[in-house]
Amino acid sequence: MGGISHYVRFFAAALFSVGLLIGDLYFSAFTELRSNMSLALVPFRAAATFPWNAYNTTADYLQSREKLLAEKGQLEQQIIENTINLKSFDFYLQQNEQLRENLNLAKRQSGKWLVAEFGRHVSYASTPRVSLNKGVEDGVLLGMAVVDKDGVIGQVVRADINTCIVSLLSEQGQWISTRNRRNNLLVILRGNGAGRLNIEYVTNDADLKVGDELLASGGVYPPGYPVAVVEEISTGSVYQQGLARAVSNFSNSSLALLYFAEQATAEQTDSPILNFGTEK
């Protein structure tokens, strides 16, 4: 009897299930019920999928953050590179402008010129000097005048293979013969070792005033090139006493010109020497 009752219950359940399927298929009898049951299961579905959704969201966030950090690093590096390139471009523009100014001044003088870049500042026995990146291989000779776009700097006192040392006009023991632009008066200048030039051998009755511009009279230095400006002048026992200031402020320049005087241009190499004017 127990076995027969199981079959009866199974057969009844099967008929009931078939009836439900037919009723839902042809008459949509359980649509509303199914909809209500789906709404009731929404919280359970959300709870079941929460761990997976949370994992995906966290992974996407971390990937996005890493990507943004990487892009930020690339942009910062690009900004630094662009800044360096821009500063380099500005430096070369400034250097090109200085070279143009130097060459424009050099064209006013006949003779030969050699363009050089400033190196480090050096000191010999507490005497400030500067170095240039041209030497014997470029045709540099001892005693050559060195100038920039503003005026005379000094002269070469040491020449190596590819560098040279320049003694400044204001160095003690340096002498230079100049002419007053205003009246062509001959004025001898001597470096005093204190950054200025002493005015020598100008008689008390000579016409020399504060503010007069003194130009190189020739010889080793290019004639007519600016040298100094008179700063102080007073009457002495026989000669006037005074000080002059060199017009060249080479600390603001990156380029200089070495001047080949006429007596020093007979034998030159194929170095990049600039020729201006008519050679004798």
Side-chain angles (χ1 to χ4, degrees), residues 137-211:
E137 286 187 346
D138 305 292
V140 175
L141 304 172
L142 292 180
M144 289 182 63
V146 180
V147 306
D148 65 1
K149 61 183 180 61
D150 296 319
V152 175
I153 297 175
Q155 59 184 149
V156 176
V157 293
R158 175 181 170 182
D160 297 324
I161 297 299
N162 51 18
T163 61
C164 64
I165 303 299
V166 179
S167 173
L168 307 182
L169 281 179
S170 59
E171 182 176 333
Q172 191 169 7
Q174 282 281 8
W175 295 78
I176 183 171
S177 174
T178 66
R179 292 281 180 178
N180 191 338
R181 180 190 288 273
R182 181 170 55 84
N183 56 15
N184 205 36
L185 175 69
L186 177 64
V187 180
I188 305 299
L189 299 178
R190 176 177 59 86
N192 61 13
R196 290 292 185 268
L197 303 165
N198 291 340
I199 296 174
E200 304 282 348
Y201 308 120
V202 177
T203 58
N204 288 328
D205 58 350
D207 183 12
L208 185 63
K209 301 177 181 180
V210 173

Side-chain angles (χ1 to χ4, degrees), residues 27-280:
F27 304 103
S28 301
F30 304 105
T31 301
E32 185 175 355
L33 177 62
R34 187 168 52 251
S35 178
N36 293 332
M37 291 181 65
S38 296
L39 291 175
L41 292 175
V42 167
F44 298 98
R45 261 196 221 109
T49 58
F50 175 77
W52 177 252
N53 292 335
Y55 170 78
N56 287 336
T57 302
T58 304
D60 292 341
Y61 170 76
L62 293 177
Q63 290 179 357
S64 299
R65 187 173 183 273
E66 291 178 356
K67 183 178 180 181
L68 288 175
L69 290 176
E71 291 179 353
K72 179 176 177 290
Q74 292 176 356
L75 289 176
E76 290 178 347
Q77 181 178 355
Q78 186 175 359
I79 290 174
I80 294 174
E81 292 176 354
N82 290 339
T83 301
I84 294 174
N85 292 335
L86 182 60
K87 290 184 180 298
S88 299
F89 180 70
D90 291 339
F91 170 76
Y92 288 122
L93 281 179
Q94 182 181 5
Q95 192 176 48
N96 185 54
E97 184 63 26
Q98 290 179 5
L99 178 59
R100 184 181 294 110
E101 291 176 354
N102 283 335
L103 296 183
N104 286 338
L105 285 175
K107 287 178 181 178
R108 302 174 189 173
Q109 306 287 334
S110 61
K112 293 183 178 180
W113 300 81
L114 177 64
V115 181
E117 293 183 9
F118 283 103
R120 61 189 177 91
H121 289 247
V122 294
S123 179
Y124 289 89
S126 301
T127 300
R129 294 176 176 178
V130 294
S131 64
L132 300 175
N133 68 340
K134 300 296 181 182
V136 176
E137 286 187 346
D138 305 292
V140 175
L141 304 172
L142 292 180
M144 289 182 63
V146 180
V147 306
D148 65 1
K149 61 183 180 61
D150 296 319
V152 175
I153 297 175
Q155 59 184 149
V156 176
V157 293
R158 175 181 170 182
D160 297 324
I161 297 299
N162 51 18
T163 61
C164 64
I165 303 299
V166 179
S167 173
L168 307 182
L169 281 179
S170 59
E171 182 176 333
Q172 191 169 7
Q174 282 281 8
W175 295 78
I176 183 171
S177 174
T178 66
R179 292 281 180 178
N180 191 338
R181 180 190 288 273
R182 181 170 55 84
N183 56 15
N184 205 36
L185 175 69
L186 177 64
V187 180
I188 305 299
L189 299 178
R190 176 177 59 86
N192 61 13
R196 290 292 185 268
L197 303 165
N198 291 340
I199 296 174
E200 304 282 348
Y201 308 120
V202 177
T203 58
N204 288 328
D205 58 350
D207 183 12
L208 185 63
K209 301 177 181 180
V210 173
D212 282 348
E213 185 179 1
L214 306 178
L215 310 177
S217 61
V220 173
Y221 297 96
Y225 217 82
V227 176
V229 175
V230 178
E231 283 192 333
E232 300 177 16
I233 194 71
S234 61
T235 302
S237 58
V238 179
Y239 299 105
Q240 298 186 49
Q241 298 178 350
L243 292 174
R245 171 184 52 84
V247 297
S248 172
N249 185 15
F250 60 89
S251 60
N252 295 329
S253 302
S254 59
L255 298 174
L257 289 169
L258 291 98
Y259 174 67
F260 291 86
E262 291 184 1
Q263 62 268 27
T265 58
E267 295 182 2
Q268 298 298 336
T269 63
D270 293 332
S271 57
I273 297 174
L274 308 174
N275 291 278
F276 299 108
T278 303
E279 295 184 27
K280 296 181 180 180

Side-chain angles (χ1 to χ4, degrees), residues 16-35:
F16 181 73
S17 299
V18 172
L20 291 177
L21 290 173
I22 294 173
D24 184 57
L25 180 62
Y26 292 100
F27 304 103
S28 301
F30 304 105
T31 301
E32 185 175 355
L33 177 62
R34 187 168 52 251
S35 178

